[in-house]
Amino acid sequence: GQQLNQSPQSMFIQEGEDVSMNCTSSSIFNTWLWYKQEPGEGPVLLIALYKAGELTSNGRLTAQFGITRKDSFLNISASIPSDVGIYFCASWMDSSYKLIFGSGTRLLVRP
Amino acid sequence: DAGVIQSPRHEVTEMGQEVTLRCKPISGHNSLFWYRQTMMRGLELLIYFNNNVPIDDSGMPEDRFSAKMPNASFSTLKIQPSEPRDSAVYFCASSPSSSTQYFGPGTRLLVL
């Protein structure tokens, strides 16, 4: 079935460092979504990508939709302690309403 | 907008008891989703409603789980009887016309 593979599983970085994480699949997707989940809260949508090659920024966050449509990456520049959380990529299964999620990248930021 | 509202935020109950989780979707959203999140299995879709009608309940684990959406502003997920393996975080999400989903804060359920 369709699966999203996220890496790395976790990152422990120093405040101020840049962060890069990615999401890959053997299947082609038409949309890539990036969510952040903070401790004790639900996932919050950060960025949505709708076209192959698209590069979109949201403040210090930048995400790209891979040209093969099988991958996406998320970069965070100049990390701060409030960036702590789990970052999930997601997309729709077979162009249906069903969202599938990657296993998440857990980010910890050392002040 | 208040976002998706879920209650209770935390629930601790004993095995065999009935548990009812509640969700108020974002006004104007016509799709509603119930998810379960565990460390082992991540986020799993349990059931999907469109215009208050259950469209896909294939993710509901067992007959002990049931969900209703009596109107556009309210949904419930019921577990009866509850078991320890039901312990998880349950999320409700809503979206306009099956597009981007907005999640509630979740209900943390612990079944002893």
Side-chain angles (χ1 to χ4, degrees), chain A residues 1-5 23-27 29 32 93 100-102:
Chain A
Q2 292 177 307
Q3 277 190 320
L4 300 180
N5 305 303
C23 192
T24 61
S25 177
S26 58
S27 303
F29 290 95
W32 287 94
M93 267 179 72
I100 54 172
F101 288 84

Side-chain angles (χ1 to χ4, degrees), chain A residues 35 37 40 42 45 97-98, chain B residues 9 37 56 91 100-101 108:
Chain A
Y35 284 86
Q37 185 176 18
L45 182 67
Y97 54 82
K98 278 189 177 179
Chain B
R9 291 294 308 272
Q37 186 178 41
D56 183 353
F91 289 104
T100 306
Q101 296 176 23
R108 275 142 196 83

Side-chain angles (χ1 to χ4, degrees), chain B residues 16-35:
Chain B
Q17 296 297 306
E18 177 179 297
V19 174
T20 299
L21 311 181
R22 297 173 177 79
C23 175
K24 177 176 165 46
I26 294 172
S27 177
H29 285 191
N30 61 356
S31 294
L32 184 139
F33 307 80
W34 282 101
Y35 288 88

Side-chain angles (χ1 to χ4, degrees), chain A residues 8-43:
Chain A
Q9 281 189 325
S10 62
M11 303 179 77
F12 190 17
I13 62 170
Q14 187 72 40
E15 182 178 1
E17 288 184 3
D18 296 344
V19 171
S20 186
M21 60 190 79
N22 64 58
C23 192
T24 61
S25 177
S26 58
S27 303
I28 289 174
F29 290 95
N30 295 318
T31 305
W32 287 94
L33 307 174
W34 285 94
Y35 284 86
K36 177 188 178 187
Q37 185 176 18
E38 296 187 5
E41 298 296 330

Side-chain angles (χ1 to χ4, degrees), chain B residues 54-75:
Chain B
I55 302 300
D56 183 353
D57 65 355
S58 60
M60 296 286 260
E62 299 170 34
D63 291 346
R64 298 184 295 106
F65 286 69
S66 62
K68 293 182 180 179
M69 192 165 184
N71 57 62
S73 58
F74 185 64
S75 177

Side-chain angles (χ1 to χ4, degrees), chain A residues 87-104:
Chain A
Y87 292 79
F88 292 99
C89 61
S91 190
W92 279 280
M93 267 179 72
D94 301 320
S95 301
S96 74
Y97 54 82
K98 278 189 177 179
L99 261 187
I100 54 172
F101 288 84
S103 54

